[in-house]
Amino acid sequence: DVYKRQEHDLDDFLNYIKDPLESSVMVIFADVDKLDERKKITKQLKKAAVVIDVAPMKEADVRQYLQQSLANDGIEMSREAFDLFLRLTDLQLSKAMQELQKLRLYAGNGNKITKEIVLQLIPKTLEHNVFELTSDVLKGNVSDALRLYDDLLLQGEETIKINAILISQVRLLLQAAILMKIGYQQANIAETLGIHPYRVKLAMQQARGFGEKQLAALYNELIENDYLVKSGQMDKEYLFQLFVLKHGKQ
């Protein structure tokens, strides 16, 4: 039994950390939200080791760090460009710092970073595109939604995959709408759903202005369409296009 063997080996490990080899450096990565303080191994490690918390930075801290980096480099960026840059880098500091190199090169000739420049330089993931697709569907922007859908197909994306991510996004919007209705704030929603607070912030912004019943009906329709396609009753591309057209502005 793997679990029992791991537990048994802890005795040797505990003995080692009491008298470690001075010429060695041991690094232990604990990919957990919180260490179990009740366990003997945790107590011994905290006594013998240096504990470094590498939890994801909060949105305000990431914003401040990146704004300072831009200022140090003399890069001028508009507010909407900066917000878009954060969204396309998923508020991940390491990813943002890598992508910032492109902006530095562009701004090297005294160019200002605009929203259009960010769109040109920072690649979008499928999730980012579906986020925009969701927004277009909710707003009834048929032409924009279909154009984005066609672009994704040309890029080799599958309709079933696009629909699956769309279902996930609408479900998040519905959950956010329900929790906001009963008074939950961003931090409470993030903790309840177990997702990054920044994703919750975007979902809350997107969900405002749309009723709970409207989101629930949209979610149920997407689930039904997924069933129709997977059961072979409807053509996936035809049904998706029909879905977008159905929710267009009258």
Side-chain angles (χ1 to χ4, degrees):
D1 185 282
V2 175
Y3 178 77
K4 289 182 179 178
R5 185 164 64 249
Q6 290 175 335
E7 288 293 315
H8 178 72
D9 290 342
L10 286 179
D11 292 334
D12 291 335
F13 182 59
L14 283 169
N15 290 330
Y16 175 78
I17 62 176
K18 289 177 182 178
D19 186 24
L21 190 64
E22 292 184 3
S23 60
S24 298
V25 176
M26 178 182 290
V27 180
I28 301 173
F29 293 94
D31 190 14
V32 293
D33 293 331
K34 187 178 181 181
L35 294 173
D36 190 342
E37 302 287 347
R38 299 168 299 176
K39 291 187 175 182
K40 182 179 180 181
I41 184 65
T42 303
K43 294 176 182 178
Q44 291 297 324
L45 278 173
K46 291 189 73 173
K47 288 180 181 179
V50 176
V51 180
I52 301 175
D53 185 4
V54 289
M57 294 174 66
K58 294 181 180 179
E59 179 183 348
D61 295 329
V62 175
R63 281 180 174 271
Q64 182 178 2
Y65 188 90
L66 289 174
Q67 286 171 340
Q68 187 61 53
S69 296
L70 291 168
N72 292 341
D73 292 335
I75 300 175
E76 186 179 357
M77 180 185 291
S78 68
R79 174 63 183 272
E80 61 176 4
F82 185 69
D83 288 340
L84 177 62
F85 178 71
L86 288 178
R87 182 162 66 83
L88 294 183
T89 53
D90 301 312
L91 205 73
Q92 296 178 11
L93 184 59
S94 58
K95 184 177 180 180
M97 292 305 291
Q98 289 178 345
E99 296 295 343
L100 197 58
Q101 298 299 326
K102 300 175 184 177
L103 302 185
R104 286 194 179 102
L105 290 173
Y106 180 85
N109 296 322
N111 297 314
K112 180 179 179 180
I113 304 299
T114 63
K115 181 179 179 180
E116 290 70 28
I117 297 302
V118 172
L119 286 172
Q120 291 178 28
L121 297 178
I122 310 303
K124 288 184 181 180
T125 65
L126 176 58
E127 285 73 18
H128 294 146
N129 280 311
V130 174
F131 179 89
E132 291 188 10
L133 182 61
T134 305
S135 180
D136 288 335
V137 170
L138 288 171
K139 294 176 182 177
N141 297 333
V142 172
S143 58
D144 291 340
L146 290 178
R147 187 182 302 111
L148 180 52
Y149 173 61
D150 288 340
D151 287 343
L152 291 174
L153 292 182
L154 289 173
Q155 293 170 24
E157 300 294 350
E158 266 289 332
T159 299
I160 291 178
K161 186 177 181 180
I162 295 171
N163 196 64
I165 299 176
L166 187 58
I167 289 173
S168 176
Q169 178 65 21
V170 174
R171 179 173 60 242
L172 175 57
L173 298 184
L174 178 58
Q175 291 170 326
I178 292 172
L179 293 174
M180 282 192 294
K181 186 177 180 180
I182 60 177
Y184 276 43
Q185 301 301 314
Q186 180 179 330
N188 306 122
I189 297 175
E191 183 179 0
T192 301
L193 300 181
I195 60 177
H196 196 286
Y198 186 64
R199 281 196 64 203
V200 172
K201 177 183 177 180
L202 295 178
M204 291 172 69
Q205 292 173 349
Q206 205 170 30
R208 289 190 178 98
F210 300 99
E212 181 184 328
K213 290 184 178 180
Q214 180 184 357
L215 292 171
L218 190 65
Y219 177 72
N220 289 331
E221 185 179 352
L222 286 166
I223 293 292
E224 177 64 20
N225 288 353
D226 188 58
Y227 169 75
L228 292 174
V229 169
K230 290 180 178 178
S231 61
Q233 299 182 51
M234 293 286 287
D235 176 76
K236 57 186 178 182
E237 293 183 9
Y238 170 76
L239 187 59
F240 194 91
Q241 292 168 341
L242 191 64
F243 163 76
V244 173
L245 289 169
K246 179 181 175 180
H247 292 277
K249 291 180 180 178
Q250 302 297 324

